[in-house]
Amino acid sequence: MPTRILIEGRPGAGKTTALRRLAALLPTHAATGFTTEEIRQSGARVGFAMETLAGRREVLAHVDLPGPPRVGKYGVDPGVMERLALPSLRPAATEEATGRLVLIDELGRMELACTAFRHAVDALFVAEVDVVATVHTHRDPFTDALKRRADIEVVQLTPANRDVLPGELAARLQQPRTHNRPPSHG
């Protein structure tokens, strides 16, 4: 059975950093997916950029983008989801990708505003691929449904485990599936 993990944490807890560290600990080209990061100007957050693990990067959301959709003060560019996120997920959901790993940062309001992205995530969570995704602690019908699934493990990212969790997950993901165990911190 594939490994399916949601790393849950509050904003600023280090979810993106943990996912990037996990990717860095894995063999080259072992994973596909994307991360997001804040865009700051003069110390203030003005948007978010998305970067695929293959190195493609674009602005996902920004205070200067008109939207729709809008999430808070940010206009979201759904085209970025089409150009970057979806291509990084779809190949992994095919049968040729059995044993692949998909890293998603994150299943958040901006990303989930894209219907095609939600469908691609649904397809991933039933495919024979390992998935590690980050999620906020806030309530959301889409992520709440994932968190309730018996085949998905939710791991809390805390100050106590954020430095060791990437290494534990990397070791676990590189073991044969029959030996997968939950991380010791949670």
Side-chain angles (χ1 to χ4, degrees):
M1 181 174 185
T3 300
R4 297 176 178 142
I5 298 172
L6 296 178
I7 299 173
E8 183 180 58
R10 301 182 56 78
K15 297 181 301 291
T16 297
T17 300
L19 206 67
R20 285 187 173 155
R21 286 183 182 156
L22 172 60
L25 291 169
L26 297 169
T28 305
H29 305 298
T32 185
F34 65 88
T35 60
T36 56
E37 71 176 323
E38 294 180 351
I39 299 170
R40 293 191 167 269
Q41 290 178 343
S42 304
R45 185 173 65 192
V46 296
F48 295 88
M50 175 177 285
E51 184 173 353
T52 67
L53 296 183
R56 294 185 58 210
R57 180 183 169 95
E58 289 190 45
V59 174
L60 171 63
H62 200 277
V63 292
D64 294 335
L65 288 175
R70 291 196 68 79
V71 174
K73 65 182 179 181
Y74 306 103
V76 180
D77 181 353
V80 172
M81 298 303 294
E82 297 284 337
R83 290 187 302 274
L84 296 187
L86 293 178
S88 72
L89 304 184
R90 285 188 178 133
T94 65
E95 291 186 21
E96 299 84 45
T98 299
R100 290 278 295 177
L101 170 63
V102 180
L103 303 178
I104 302 171
D105 176 48
E106 73 184 277
L107 300 176
R109 288 183 292 177
M110 292 177 193
E111 297 83 1
L112 295 173
C114 175
T115 301
F117 176 70
R118 287 195 311 271
H119 292 309
V121 170
D122 280 335
L124 277 177
F125 277 97
V126 297
E128 287 297 312
V129 296
D130 295 330
V131 180
V132 178
T134 63
V135 293
H136 274 289
T137 55
H138 69 28
R139 304 214 28 105
D140 176 88
F142 185 86
T143 56
D144 288 351
L146 288 175
K147 291 174 190 178
R148 287 191 299 268
R149 285 180 40 171
D151 64 334
I152 294 176
E153 176 185 352
V154 179
V155 176
Q156 299 295 320
L157 184 69
T158 66
N161 73 358
R162 71 176 164 209
D163 292 333
V164 297
L165 186 62
E168 289 179 351
L169 292 176
R172 179 175 165 190
L173 289 162
Q174 293 178 75
Q175 292 176 358
R177 284 193 175 141
T178 55
H179 295 101
N180 283 353
R181 291 184 182 91
S184 59
H185 302 283

